[in-house]
Amino acid sequence: MLCYEGRLSLYCFVSAIFSLALLWVFFDLGIFADPEWAGFWARVVLLAVYYLGLNVVIWLKFATKDYQVAVRATFLGAVFALGVVIFQAGADEYRSFGVYGTLMAVFHYSEYLGIAFCNPKTLSPDSFILNHSIHYALAAGASWLEFFVEVYFFPEMKIHYILWILGLVLCLGGEILRKLAMITASKNFSHIVQFERTQGHELVTDGVYGLMRHPSYVGWFWWSIGTQVVLANPVCFVIYTVASWKFFHDRIFMEEITLLNFFGEEYYKYKQRRAGDELPDEEEGGGRLEDGWTNSREEGGDEDEDRRNMTGGFYHGRNRRYSGSYDNLYDESTIV
């Protein structure tokens, strides 16, 4: 059953969508049908005023903790509704930005809802990952800047519907893969780095983890570059591709070390199965793991020495189960 915070967020997210959609329909009635009021951007401004009013109501209604959840869910619902409005009523060159807005809203809200379903003990307002990092915010801002600059100078670039469809497929495919990873890992998935391995943490190797070792990273990678295909941003597409590849490559490298640290031979065998490599003969002893890493337990070594050997000397004592989202690896104050 969905926890209280999850139900609250769902109520606020859906309510914001429907209330803003109904308000847009209402604009066609009464004084709003007058040409002086009927302009697209005039309606958008009125929607923004209405959204601010919603925030005041939320602030008055909810306690501090609930407010932090409600205001974020309402904001994402408003972004989703505004994206639909832009796509439905905006000029052709702006319609792809409406698609992008709905994709952003769904991604960030589904991150929170996914944790609410799978691992509510780790749920917090940060689970929306709206405050992911400065780099994430700068990347988003750069994509918006490129979009509107190119709309001004080259509006014909933004009306290729095939790009919207291709980008939408990439985003939805990546989104589904990431959420399947969250559901499969269940209580083992968390956005927050854990320094102690708690009881019940286990290595997940079934479902999408039976197909690839890091499905949530793969899904996020394709989602991120898909957003730039939707926006038809050639510059940011290249930058996002290179930067995302490097980010996830480095993150996965460090996570592999952590996983070997925690699970040793169990993770090594799982890794080899996914790579399609031949496993060492267990009957002949521990043997060599890979790249000179040896299992010293078979040679009488202690557990710490064994861990150091199997992680190439990078033993750092982080007791955490892999969830597909190795959070705050470089900056422990941020969320992934």
Side-chain angles (χ1 to χ4, degrees):
M1 180 180 293
L2 191 61
C3 64
Y4 166 74
E5 291 83 358
R7 296 195 301 272
L8 172 64
S9 71
L10 186 60
Y11 170 78
C12 292
F13 181 74
V14 174
S15 296
I17 292 174
F18 278 98
S19 62
L20 267 71
L22 289 174
L23 183 60
W24 185 266
V25 173
F26 179 72
F27 286 159
D28 291 329
L29 306 175
I31 63 170
F32 296 101
D34 188 278
E36 184 178 350
W37 290 86
F40 172 78
W41 290 110
R43 294 185 177 192
V44 170
V45 170
L46 290 173
L47 286 179
V49 172
Y50 173 75
Y51 167 73
L52 292 176
L54 280 181
N55 276 268
V56 173
V57 172
I58 293 170
W59 180 73
L60 293 173
K61 181 177 177 60
F62 295 106
T64 302
K65 182 179 179 181
D66 290 346
Y67 170 78
Q68 295 298 326
V69 174
V71 74
R72 286 167 171 79
T74 300
F75 167 74
L76 292 173
V79 170
F80 183 95
L82 184 58
V84 173
V85 166
I86 293 173
F87 178 78
Q88 186 270 330
D92 285 347
E93 60 268 28
Y94 290 103
R95 295 181 71 189
S96 62
F97 198 79
V99 178
Y100 168 83
T102 59
L103 289 170
M104 290 289 285
V106 169
F107 174 79
H108 284 281
Y109 178 68
S110 64
E111 287 291 301
Y112 184 88
L113 191 65
I115 296 296
F117 269 113
C118 300
N119 195 5
K121 290 183 179 180
T122 65
L123 192 66
S124 76
D126 288 335
S127 298
F128 288 102
I129 60 174
L130 287 170
N131 56 336
H132 175 275
S133 67
I134 294 177
H135 296 92
Y136 185 79
L138 290 175
S143 70
W144 305 341
L145 178 62
E146 181 185 352
F147 178 83
F148 286 108
V149 167
E150 290 173 351
V151 163
Y152 183 81
F153 290 103
F154 314 105
E156 65 279 0
M157 288 180 57
K158 307 300 181 180
I159 58 177
H160 297 291
Y161 300 105
I162 188 64
L163 291 179
W164 303 0
I165 297 173
L166 177 60
L168 188 62
V169 169
L170 288 174
C171 287
L172 292 180
E175 178 83 34
I176 291 171
L177 180 59
R178 181 168 170 84
K179 295 312 179 286
L180 285 175
M182 295 175 69
I183 293 171
T184 303
S186 188
K187 67 182 187 306
N188 297 298
F189 193 102
S190 172
H191 287 133
I192 306 297
V193 124
Q194 299 178 21
F195 294 98
E196 298 294 334
R197 182 180 174 185
T198 60
Q199 184 177 5
H201 280 185
E202 58 184 14
L203 181 66
V204 178
T205 61
D206 58 351
V208 290
Y209 290 94
L211 301 175
M212 60 187 73
R213 300 198 301 274
H214 305 279
S216 74
Y217 289 155
V218 174
W220 199 348
F221 171 79
W222 286 111
W223 178 87
S224 67
I225 63 175
T227 60
Q228 300 313 298
V229 175
V230 168
L231 292 176
N233 283 350
V235 176
C236 280
F237 173 78
V238 174
I239 294 174
Y240 270 53
T241 301
V242 174
S244 296
W245 180 270
K246 185 179 186 307
F247 173 81
F248 289 120
H249 175 272
D250 294 346
R251 175 98 16 136
I252 287 173
F253 173 77
M254 293 300 296
E255 182 152 328
E256 294 283 335
I257 293 172
T258 303
L259 291 168
L260 285 166
N261 181 24
F262 294 158
F263 297 102
E265 191 75 11
E266 180 185 4
Y267 183 73
Y268 166 70
K269 291 179 179 179
Y270 164 69
K271 181 180 178 181
Q272 295 297 98
R273 288 198 301 271
R274 296 287 63 75
D277 295 339
E278 183 178 352
L279 292 174
D281 190 349
E282 295 182 359
E283 294 183 359
E284 297 179 1
R288 298 183 63 83
L289 293 181
E290 59 179 293
D291 297 333
W293 297 351
T294 59
N295 186 343
S296 61
R297 183 173 299 151
E298 298 296 334
E299 302 168 2
D302 62 22
E303 182 177 359
D304 286 340
E305 180 65 22
D306 178 34
R307 288 178 174 176
R308 280 191 291 270
N309 287 332
M310 285 193 294
T311 58
F314 287 97
Y315 174 57
H316 48 71
R318 288 195 171 193
N319 293 322
R320 183 194 183 279
R321 151 74 180 94
Y322 165 56
S323 66
S325 183
Y326 188 45
D327 312 319
N328 308 334
L329 182 60
Y330 302 127
D331 182 356
E332 294 175 3
S333 67
T334 61
I335 303 296
V336 169

